[in-house]
Amino acid sequence: MNPLTFDRDKPLDFVALGRLCIDLNANEINRPMEETVTFTKYVGGSPANIAIGMARLGMKTGFVGRVADDQLGRFIVRYLQDNQIDTASVLTDRSGSVTGLAFTEIKSPTDCSILMYRDNAADLKLEPQDINEEYLKQAKAILISGTALAKSPSREAILLALHYARKHGAVVFFDLDYRPYSWTSPAETAIYYNLAAEKCDVLIGTREEFSMMERFERNAEEDDETTARKWFGYQASVVVIKHGKHGSIAYTRQGERYPGVTFPAKVVKTFGAGDSYAAGFIYGLMQGWDISRSTEFGAAAAAIVISSHSCSEAMPTQEQIEAYIAKCRNGEIVGS
Amino acid sequence: MNPLTFDRDKPLDFVALGRLCIDLNANEINRPMEETVTFTKYVGGSPANIAIGMARLGMKTGFVGRVADDQLGRFIVRYLQDNQIDTASVLTDRSGSVTGLAFTEIKSPTDCSILMYRDNAADLKLEPQDINEEYLKQAKAILISGTALAKSPSREAILLALHYARKHGAVVFFDLDYRPYSWTSPAETAIYYNLAAEKCDVLIGTREEFSMMERFERNAEEDDETTARKWFGYQASVVVIKHGKHGSIAYTRQGERYPGVTFPAKVVKTFGAGDSYAAGFIYGLMQGWDISRSTEFGAAAAAIVISSHSCSEAMPTQEQIEAYIAKCRNGEIVGS
Amino acid sequence: MNPLTFDRDKPLDFVALGRLCIDLNANEINRPMEETVTFTKYVGGSPANIAIGMARLGMKTGFVGRVADDQLGRFIVRYLQDNQIDTASVLTDRSGSVTGLAFTEIKSPTDCSILMYRDNAADLKLEPQDINEEYLKQAKAILISGTALAKSPSREAILLALHYARKHGAVVFFDLDYRPYSWTSPAETAIYYNLAAEKCDVLIGTREEFSMMERFERNAEEDDETTARKWFGYQASVVVIKHGKHGSIAYTRQGERYPGVTFPAKVVKTFGAGDSYAAGFIYGLMQGWDISRSTEFGAAAAAIVISSHSCSEAMPTQEQIEAYIAKCRNGEIVGS
Amino acid sequence: MNPLTFDRDKPLDFVALGRLCIDLNANEINRPMEETVTFTKYVGGSPANIAIGMARLGMKTGFVGRVADDQLGRFIVRYLQDNQIDTASVLTDRSGSVTGLAFTEIKSPTDCSILMYRDNAADLKLEPQDINEEYLKQAKAILISGTALAKSPSREAILLALHYARKHGAVVFFDLDYRPYSWTSPAETAIYYNLAAEKCDVLIGTREEFSMMERFERNAEEDDETTARKWFGYQASVVVIKHGKHGSIAYTRQGERYPGVTFPAKVVKTFGAGDSYAAGFIYGLMQGWDISRSTEFGAAAAAIVISSHSCSEAMPTQEQIEAYIAKCRNGEIVGS
């Protein structure tokens, strides 16, 4: 079952908006960052990763965002282009901003953390005037990410993009992707997440993220069904609630409930699991697959990414995902 | 015809939110402010004036806002209390803010201007945590004013108040009251005005204010019917569009159109016309009067206020408004 | 004895720098401000008052500062010009700043307070580029006031003015005029007060102000002689330390000590005492009078100003001061 | 000739203040940063490098500064300690600041640039209250760096440190180290550089840095002798003016002039030349060597550092410097 319909006449399959940044991944892993000597540079940021994932899967993909006017900003644009992502709406910020950074620390496969540089980040300089109605009109689907709502003027740019997306019938995916830094208060976060989510078709987030959005309501038991019903009262058709290692569940407006699957993996680190899942899942829905097959495809993509050192660079192709699923079924891949 | 229904079981008739400030009205008028020597102090701010107007008309009225921790803040609270307005939700801001000021300059009855002090204003320090769900639950109607959306955290506090008002069935009036200062850009203004207006039952504003909200749409002819229809597509039942001296027109979701009337007045200044109109009009609607009678009542209240030196202090009682209407009909009052 | 020499060839007697603002003095006095209904508008700000005092005493006076681009800013410039003060270096700030305000509350002649509006004040927008070396070169003496050091870029503008004043041999008066608002911390205040004071010829302040400047030294007994000696180790020739109603004492680099006198007055309020004292005292020194006569002259000016409703407007002429001294000696004036 | 005397009874030889940050040096060099894949992490920042250099030379060294409360901050403290630098006055900033970063790009040995991350940098959070008078009292010499003057509260902390250093007779070295980012305007920079330099014993900077400090004076020919004389009118005994590849010249208050020497080197990059020179030169002066020998020692230290990949890590010991000088004299080392 797949409750979404995409306008086949639109030339762009998928446009992601928001954060474009740099991951600096520790090369010497399984130790604290104090003892790391060298780092490898990758393009990062949740919507960037998902866009790269979609492009690897062969979707005609575009991006809307701002990059810093420096070497790292130019590296990001070049990398997107090398991955066949349209950068017509990726603008260079001239305000003196810098590229957001994420230093990753991998103490063990299950003990990972990130040291973020988000002050004066170029991606949060996105302005309403950067949102090109004609560009969004061409997109079958768009994806927004919660971090882009954290500060003005990016917040207003995203709210305007939602207006245009609704006006022109794009399907809107909202990857909640809540990061406490950048936000002033939990109340501020909840207010803008709710305003944005009211206008979205598919919500994807962790149980904690959905609970954060319910601070002005009663759902003390953190009941998934209650959460999903709330959003079906607005625009949503699909709500995916992730419960960490207990797996995720997709709810539909029609009242169905699809528990997810997981695949074995030789885990290097947990970063990127959500982004690769999102790319695989959205890809499936856009192929018209039913929700079960889409979530399975997302889960396999996630297993591939957490088995590698990077996020963006590791985003798999359809062939890779299918091969991985086949190998798991054969018993060729077992977990770490 | 009156499309609104108010929950008679709620103990508070009317709660206004937002700006509480001080007007310093020139005593020596009909000259530039450079030549003014003395000023008289009044409570001011659009929602404050409307609340005072409603209280004078006998409505059980409350206010939600923040005042500065100084003599002017204490004066405001005392004045509200002296006018029987409940101040349980009027909090004292302890962050070192000041009371917003409006110095009025009256060069002639038709050439008035205002010198505003809005930096670090206490009213814009209203926080989401100040919005008491239990308090708003008790209100038949609430009124928000656009200026309260101009800055965080007041912006988020108002957005949260709208959530609670909708949740508990209060009728929401939105006095657009757009003031360019305090806002960062016209796009920012339009984005938040639209988000708020989507959740309101009655919108009251000038043609220019409604056009400002349409910057992301097509209504090049600034057609009132197009404007009204847009809002009936959301929550609104009544949309009042003011055309300055050409009068105002009230539109209803049912497709009716009610042109307003005006009353003659010995005009001292134009300040306060909108606030007194709003108080009279809302009062009428809350009495169950039809829209024609309500707009007439508002227009008479406006005529009284523009004939006097102050705004808040001049807000009339029901008897005064009825007497004024009667005198106009008798020909006892003719315009200046 | 008078240790100062002024360059008689310079065309301007006296240039004050810094704060230009508006006093709004309660007309209904001897009550809290909550009960005040009307206010009268005057030019205010310590260096403005002193400049007006000097001009009234016949000195060729100029001012260096910024005013807001509004009616109050224009009123200030006009008032200075009407008082024969050269405003060639009074610039209009175009950044959207406002005129600083001081609402005065006179609960009783001895219980006065001020409600300040200093956010985004035009006077603190003075920039180094506004400091015209050629202009300061023409001045026999300049006066700086501590409040102008409270924030950048005014702080840097004043530090640059001190550089030019030293370079061109102007005598520099420093009216400490410490106001806690605007400053970030007591340490920050002390650091900049000390840096500025090192370059000044005459320091005038209260015992509390001098003690504030000694937070990085040992003078636990707050001994005046220790304080004065510190400054004679730098540039100062005269240090005046005020002990409130116990009077002030002027110390000279030569080791002399001149206790001040006070005159009886029918006190209306205490505001303006320091500014009128400074004007009278500096005037005396610039006439070549010895310190005793100069302090007496300043004290009589102060007695006149505290007997009236305003500060700037009440600044006396030489004739008025001499007449006041004569009347006090005759017993025609006795204290309140 | 060496005009400086150091108080032999003080237990600490040398205390540097200010910037502690991280260099991320491109591993793949001789290309633009867009093409760099991996970076190596080092402790950086001009005063940090100089302190490390002094410690390597066997001086009892301390540091006064703030580091971020994260993995990079802890790495810095650990590295200083591993280099025998006393970190009793290196405090952890708890305000949410980050470690300043410098990504280095080495396009060729003579075309190097730096991409700086200075927003919300921990080192600029140093506060006056962090400056421990007792600690500075123990130091024979202190070193300040111009970048620490760029922002409050670090600016005030450094100005206070200068006060204590003067009070307790430490010799003060000022490494001008001007970096345009962080500063608001060239006028602001010049004002604070001058105020600080007035209180220093030894000034070390490029011709451009000294000219920047002369913007309020006349030295159109950028004459070194004029520059040096200016500073001898204040506190300075030695002024070192660097002319890039034309070498540096040291001037003394006694009127002497010591042209510097340079040593051949296989240049990898130019970063760190100034810091290693400063360490070698200051070390020499503190040994009581005459200026000629001290500058030679500094020049050899610089030649060693520019021949290696890092700055801090490459700081040489006395033996290494002496060996390098010997080899150059033997002709064993010739330039690249």
Side-chain angles (χ1 to χ4, degrees):
Chain A
M1 199 284 160
N2 178 337
L4 300 168
T5 55
F6 299 88
D7 182 347
R8 310 236 151 239
D9 293 337
K10 293 188 171 183
L12 275 172
D13 292 317
F14 181 78
V15 171
L17 297 97
R19 195 153 48 110
L20 290 167
C21 66
I22 292 288
D23 289 347
L24 286 160
N25 288 8
N27 291 325
E28 302 80 25
I29 63 172
N30 298 319
R31 69 189 67 181
M33 198 189 297
E34 285 87 334
E35 297 170 19
T36 297
V37 179
T38 67
F39 296 90
T40 299
K41 175 185 80 169
Y42 299 102
V43 168
S46 181
N49 290 338
I50 297 172
I52 292 163
M54 291 296 278
R56 291 265 168 82
L57 290 165
M59 304 302 278
K60 213 157 172 334
T61 300
F63 206 95
V64 176
R66 283 204 183 197
V67 294
D69 186 17
D70 62 21
Q71 295 97 327
L72 297 176
R74 288 189 288 276
F75 167 71
I76 290 170
V77 173
R78 186 185 298 186
Y79 189 84
L80 295 180
Q81 290 171 345
D82 289 348
N83 279 275
Q84 323 308 331
I85 294 173
D86 182 74
T87 58
S89 277
V90 177
L91 308 173
T92 299
D93 182 68
R94 311 278 180 197
S95 71
S97 63
V98 294
T99 305
L101 302 178
F103 287 89
T104 61
E105 177 183 52
I106 303 173
K107 291 190 187 169
S108 77
T110 55
D111 184 4
C112 303
S113 69
I114 301 183
L115 175 57
M116 300 292 290
Y117 277 71
R118 294 294 294 155
D119 293 292
N120 197 21
D123 58 270
L124 292 171
K125 307 293 182 184
L126 191 72
E127 292 190 2
Q129 70 195 48
D130 301 341
I131 303 301
N132 184 332
E133 181 173 4
E134 290 308 305
Y135 194 74
L136 293 181
K137 198 174 167 176
Q138 298 174 41
K140 294 187 179 70
I142 74 162
L143 175 128
I144 65 163
S145 153
T147 46
L149 294 166
K151 279 219 181 305
S152 297
S154 169
R155 176 184 292 167
E156 290 82 35
I158 297 300
L159 292 169
L160 179 57
L162 287 176
H163 169 78
Y164 287 137
R166 290 254 66 80
K167 182 174 170 188
H168 295 295
V171 173
V172 183
F173 293 87
F174 185 4
D175 177 27
L176 301 185
D177 187 31
Y178 169 56
R179 315 273 176 149
Y181 47 77
S182 309
W183 289 95
T184 301
S185 71
E188 182 197 42
T189 311
I191 288 164
Y192 289 109
Y193 264 81
N194 277 295
L195 280 175
E198 290 178 10
K199 298 178 186 293
C200 297
D201 298 287
V202 182
L203 306 181
I204 305 171
T206 63
R207 180 62 251 172
E208 294 70 31
E209 288 169 334
F210 281 102
S211 295
M212 172 276 287
M213 296 166 77
E214 288 168 355
R215 63 179 287 131
F216 307 119
E217 287 129 64
R218 313 254 172 285
N219 184 11
E221 304 75 27
E222 302 196 323
D223 175 53
D224 279 4
E225 303 269 359
T226 303
T227 296
R229 256 198 317 275
K230 168 182 169 181
W231 294 112
F232 298 141
Y234 293 98
Q235 176 69 30
S237 309
V238 181
V239 173
V240 179
I241 305 178
K242 304 183 211 172
H243 290 267
K245 54 185 159 189
H246 304 294
S248 62
I249 305 169
Y251 296 86
T252 68
R253 178 185 279 265
Q254 286 72 21
E256 295 143 330
R257 181 177 180 284
Y258 297 90
V261 295
T262 57
F263 287 92
K266 303 270 185 228
V267 182
V268 174
K269 44 73 185 149
T270 52
F271 307 127
D275 299 338
S276 45
Y277 170 85
F281 176 65
I282 296 170
Y283 174 76
L285 293 175
M286 293 192 75
Q287 300 310 107
W289 300 349
D290 66 21
I291 287 177
S292 295
R293 183 173 168 200
S294 302
T295 57
E296 183 185 77
F297 199 73
I304 292 170
V305 166
I306 62 177
S307 308
S308 89
H309 185 254
S310 86
C311 296
S312 53
E313 188 60 21
M315 287 285 165
T317 62
Q318 181 166 0
E319 295 67 39
Q320 290 172 316
I321 296 174
E322 287 171 354
Y324 196 89
I325 294 174
K327 282 188 185 172
C328 290
R329 289 194 177 140
N330 293 345
E332 285 176 59
I333 295 175
V334 294
S336 54
Chain B
M1 200 283 161
N2 178 336
L4 302 167
T5 55
F6 300 88
D7 182 345
R8 309 236 151 242
D9 293 338
K10 294 187 170 184
L12 276 172
D13 292 317
F14 181 79
V15 170
L17 297 96
R19 193 152 49 109
L20 290 167
C21 67
I22 292 287
D23 289 346
L24 286 160
N25 287 7
N27 291 326
E28 302 80 26
I29 65 171
N30 298 320
R31 69 189 67 180
M33 198 190 296
E34 285 87 334
E35 297 170 20
T36 298
V37 179
T38 67
F39 295 90
T40 298
K41 174 184 80 168
Y42 298 102
V43 169
S46 181
N49 290 338
I50 297 172
I52 292 164
M54 291 296 278
R56 291 267 168 81
L57 289 165
M59 304 302 277
K60 210 154 172 338
T61 300
F63 206 96
V64 175
R66 281 204 184 198
V67 295
D69 186 17
D70 62 21
Q71 296 96 328
L72 296 176
R74 289 188 289 276
F75 167 71
I76 289 170
V77 173
R78 186 186 297 185
Y79 188 84
L80 294 180
Q81 290 170 346
D82 289 348
N83 278 275
Q84 324 307 330
I85 294 173
D86 181 73
T87 58
S89 277
V90 177
L91 308 174
T92 298
D93 182 67
R94 311 278 179 195
S95 72
S97 62
V98 293
T99 306
L101 301 178
F103 286 89
T104 61
E105 177 181 52
I106 303 173
K107 290 190 188 169
S108 77
T110 55
D111 184 4
C112 304
S113 69
I114 301 183
L115 175 58
M116 299 292 289
Y117 277 71
R118 295 293 295 155
D119 293 291
N120 198 20
D123 57 271
L124 291 171
K125 307 292 183 185
L126 191 71
E127 293 190 3
Q129 70 194 48
D130 301 341
I131 304 300
N132 184 332
E133 182 172 3
E134 290 308 306
Y135 194 73
L136 293 180
K137 199 174 167 176
Q138 298 174 41
K140 293 186 179 70
I142 75 161
L143 175 127
I144 64 162
S145 154
T147 45
L149 293 166
K151 279 216 181 309
S152 297
S154 169
R155 176 183 292 167
E156 290 82 36
I158 297 299
L159 291 169
L160 180 57
L162 287 175
H163 169 79
Y164 287 138
R166 290 254 64 80
K167 182 174 169 188
H168 296 295
V171 173
V172 182
F173 293 86
F174 185 3
D175 177 27
L176 301 186
D177 188 31
Y178 170 55
R179 315 273 176 149
Y181 47 77
S182 307
W183 289 94
T184 301
S185 71
E188 183 197 42
T189 312
I191 288 163
Y192 289 109
Y193 264 81
N194 276 296
L195 279 176
E198 290 177 9
K199 298 178 185 294
C200 297
D201 298 286
V202 182
L203 306 181
I204 305 172
T206 63
R207 180 63 249 172
E208 293 71 30
E209 288 170 333
F210 280 103
S211 296
M212 171 276 288
M213 296 166 77
E214 289 167 355
R215 64 180 285 132
F216 307 119
E217 287 130 63
R218 313 255 172 283
N219 184 10
E221 304 74 27
E222 302 197 322
D223 175 53
D224 278 5
E225 303 268 358
T226 303
T227 297
R229 255 197 318 275
K230 167 182 170 181
W231 295 112
F232 298 141
Y234 293 98
Q235 177 71 30
S237 309
V238 181
V239 173
V240 179
I241 305 178
K242 304 183 211 173
H243 289 267
K245 53 185 159 188
H246 304 293
S248 62
I249 304 169
Y251 296 86
T252 68
R253 179 186 279 264
Q254 286 72 22
E256 296 143 331
R257 181 178 179 284
Y258 298 89
V261 296
T262 57
F263 288 92
K266 303 269 186 229
V267 183
V268 174
K269 43 72 185 152
T270 52
F271 306 126
D275 298 339
S276 45
Y277 170 84
F281 177 65
I282 296 169
Y283 174 76
L285 294 175
M286 294 191 75
Q287 301 310 108
W289 300 349
D290 66 21
I291 287 179
S292 296
R293 184 172 170 201
S294 300
T295 57
E296 183 186 78
F297 200 73
I304 292 170
V305 165
I306 63 177
S307 308
S308 89
H309 184 253
S310 85
C311 297
S312 54
E313 187 61 22
M315 286 285 164
T317 61
Q318 181 166 0
E319 294 69 37
Q320 288 171 316
I321 295 174
E322 286 170 353
Y324 195 88
I325 294 173
K327 281 188 184 172
C328 290
R329 290 195 176 137
N330 291 346
E332 285 176 59
I333 294 175
V334 293
S336 54
Chain C
M1 200 284 161
N2 177 337
L4 301 167
T5 54
F6 299 87
D7 182 345
R8 309 237 150 240
D9 293 338
K10 294 187 171 183
L12 275 172
D13 292 318
F14 181 79
V15 171
L17 296 96
R19 193 153 49 109
L20 290 167
C21 66
I22 292 288
D23 289 347
L24 286 160
N25 287 8
N27 291 326
E28 302 80 25
I29 63 173
N30 298 320
R31 70 188 67 180
M33 198 189 296
E34 285 87 333
E35 298 170 19
T36 298
V37 178
T38 68
F39 296 90
T40 298
K41 175 184 80 168
Y42 298 102
V43 168
S46 181
N49 290 338
I50 297 172
I52 292 163
M54 292 296 278
R56 291 267 167 81
L57 289 164
M59 305 301 278
K60 210 154 174 334
T61 299
F63 206 95
V64 175
R66 282 204 183 197
V67 294
D69 187 17
D70 63 20
Q71 295 96 326
L72 296 176
R74 289 188 289 276
F75 167 71
I76 290 170
V77 173
R78 186 185 297 185
Y79 188 85
L80 295 180
Q81 289 170 346
D82 289 348
N83 277 275
Q84 324 307 330
I85 294 172
D86 182 73
T87 58
S89 276
V90 177
L91 307 173
T92 299
D93 181 68
R94 312 277 179 195
S95 71
S97 63
V98 293
T99 306
L101 302 178
F103 286 90
T104 60
E105 175 182 55
I106 303 172
K107 291 191 188 168
S108 77
T110 56
D111 185 4
C112 304
S113 69
I114 301 183
L115 175 58
M116 300 293 289
Y117 276 70
R118 295 294 293 155
D119 292 292
N120 197 20
D123 58 270
L124 291 171
K125 307 292 182 185
L126 192 71
E127 292 190 2
Q129 71 195 47
D130 301 340
I131 304 301
N132 184 332
E133 181 172 3
E134 290 308 305
Y135 194 74
L136 292 179
K137 199 174 167 177
Q138 297 174 41
K140 294 186 179 70
I142 74 161
L143 175 128
I144 65 163
S145 154
T147 46
L149 294 166
K151 281 218 181 304
S152 296
S154 170
R155 177 184 291 167
E156 290 82 34
I158 297 299
L159 292 168
L160 179 58
L162 287 175
H163 169 79
Y164 286 138
R166 289 256 65 79
K167 182 174 170 188
H168 296 294
V171 173
V172 182
F173 293 87
F174 186 3
D175 177 26
L176 301 185
D177 188 31
Y178 169 56
R179 314 273 176 148
Y181 46 79
S182 309
W183 289 94
T184 301
S185 70
E188 183 197 44
T189 312
I191 287 164
Y192 289 108
Y193 264 82
N194 276 295
L195 279 176
E198 289 177 10
K199 298 179 186 293
C200 297
D201 299 285
V202 182
L203 306 181
I204 305 172
T206 63
R207 180 63 250 171
E208 292 72 28
E209 288 170 332
F210 281 103
S211 295
M212 172 276 287
M213 297 167 76
E214 288 167 354
R215 65 180 283 130
F216 307 118
E217 287 129 63
R218 313 253 172 287
N219 184 11
E221 304 75 27
E222 302 198 320
D223 175 53
D224 279 5
E225 304 269 358
T226 303
T227 296
R229 255 198 317 276
K230 167 183 169 181
W231 294 112
F232 298 141
Y234 293 98
Q235 177 70 29
S237 308
V238 180
V239 173
V240 179
I241 304 177
K242 304 183 211 173
H243 289 266
K245 54 185 159 189
H246 303 294
S248 62
I249 304 168
Y251 296 87
T252 68
R253 179 185 279 264
Q254 286 72 21
E256 296 143 331
R257 180 179 181 283
Y258 298 90
V261 295
T262 57
F263 287 92
K266 303 269 186 228
V267 182
V268 174
K269 43 72 186 152
T270 52
F271 306 126
D275 298 339
S276 45
Y277 170 85
F281 176 65
I282 295 169
Y283 174 77
L285 294 175
M286 293 192 75
Q287 300 311 106
W289 299 349
D290 66 21
I291 287 177
S292 295
R293 185 172 167 199
S294 300
T295 56
E296 183 186 77
F297 200 72
I304 292 170
V305 165
I306 62 177
S307 307
S308 87
H309 184 254
S310 85
C311 297
S312 54
E313 187 60 22
M315 286 285 165
T317 61
Q318 181 166 0
E319 295 68 37
Q320 289 172 316
I321 296 174
E322 285 171 356
Y324 195 90
I325 294 174
K327 281 188 184 170
C328 290
R329 289 197 177 136
N330 291 345
E332 285 177 58
I333 295 175
V334 293
S336 54
Chain D
M1 199 283 161
N2 177 336
L4 301 167
T5 55
F6 299 87
D7 183 345
R8 312 234 149 242
D9 293 339
K10 295 187 170 182
L12 276 171
D13 292 317
F14 181 78
V15 171
L17 297 95
R19 194 152 49 110
L20 290 167
C21 66
I22 292 288
D23 289 347
L24 286 161
N25 288 7
N27 291 325
E28 302 80 24
I29 64 173
N30 298 319
R31 68 189 66 181
M33 199 189 296
E34 286 87 334
E35 298 170 19
T36 298
V37 179
T38 68
F39 296 90
T40 298
K41 175 184 80 168
Y42 298 102
V43 168
S46 182
N49 290 338
I50 297 172
I52 292 163
M54 292 296 277
R56 292 265 168 82
L57 289 164
M59 305 301 279
K60 211 156 173 333
T61 300
F63 207 94
V64 176
R66 282 204 184 198
V67 294
D69 186 16
D70 61 22
Q71 294 96 327
L72 297 175
R74 287 188 290 277
F75 167 71
I76 290 170
V77 173
R78 187 186 297 185
Y79 189 85
L80 295 180
Q81 289 169 347
D82 288 348
N83 279 275
Q84 323 307 330
I85 294 173
D86 182 73
T87 58
S89 277
V90 178
L91 308 173
T92 299
D93 182 67
R94 311 279 180 195
S95 71
S97 62
V98 293
T99 306
L101 303 178
F103 286 89
T104 60
E105 176 182 53
I106 302 173
K107 291 190 188 170
S108 77
T110 55
D111 185 5
C112 304
S113 69
I114 301 183
L115 174 58
M116 300 292 290
Y117 277 71
R118 295 294 293 156
D119 293 291
N120 197 21
D123 58 90
L124 292 172
K125 307 292 182 184
L126 192 70
E127 292 191 2
Q129 71 195 46
D130 300 341
I131 303 301
N132 184 331
E133 181 172 4
E134 290 308 305
Y135 193 75
L136 293 179
K137 198 173 168 178
Q138 296 174 42
K140 294 186 178 72
I142 75 162
L143 175 128
I144 65 163
S145 154
T147 46
L149 293 165
K151 280 217 181 306
S152 297
S154 169
R155 177 183 291 166
E156 290 81 35
I158 297 299
L159 292 169
L160 180 58
L162 287 175
H163 169 79
Y164 287 138
R166 289 254 67 79
K167 182 174 170 188
H168 296 295
V171 173
V172 182
F173 293 87
F174 186 3
D175 177 25
L176 301 187
D177 188 30
Y178 169 56
R179 314 272 176 150
Y181 47 79
S182 307
W183 289 95
T184 302
S185 71
E188 183 196 43
T189 313
I191 287 163
Y192 289 108
Y193 264 82
N194 276 295
L195 280 175
E198 289 177 9
K199 297 179 186 294
C200 297
D201 298 287
V202 182
L203 306 181
I204 305 171
T206 64
R207 179 63 250 171
E208 293 70 31
E209 289 170 332
F210 281 103
S211 295
M212 172 276 288
M213 296 167 76
E214 288 168 354
R215 63 180 286 132
F216 308 118
E217 286 129 64
R218 312 255 172 287
N219 184 12
E221 303 77 25
E222 302 197 321
D223 176 54
D224 279 5
E225 304 268 359
T226 303
T227 297
R229 256 197 317 275
K230 167 182 170 181
W231 294 112
F232 298 141
Y234 293 99
Q235 177 70 29
S237 309
V238 180
V239 173
V240 179
I241 305 179
K242 304 182 210 174
H243 289 267
K245 54 185 160 190
H246 303 293
S248 62
I249 304 168
Y251 296 87
T252 68
R253 178 185 280 263
Q254 286 72 21
E256 296 143 332
R257 180 178 180 285
Y258 297 91
V261 295
T262 57
F263 287 92
K266 303 271 185 225
V267 182
V268 174
K269 43 73 185 151
T270 52
F271 307 126
D275 298 338
S276 45
Y277 170 85
F281 177 64
I282 295 169
Y283 174 76
L285 293 176
M286 293 192 75
Q287 301 310 107
W289 299 350
D290 66 22
I291 287 177
S292 296
R293 184 175 169 198
S294 301
T295 57
E296 184 185 75
F297 200 73
I304 292 169
V305 165
I306 62 177
S307 308
S308 88
H309 185 252
S310 85
C311 297
S312 53
E313 187 61 21
M315 287 283 164
T317 61
Q318 182 166 359
E319 295 67 39
Q320 289 171 315
I321 296 174
E322 286 171 355
Y324 195 90
I325 294 174
K327 282 187 184 173
C328 290
R329 289 197 177 137
N330 291 345
E332 286 176 58
I333 295 175
V334 293
S336 55

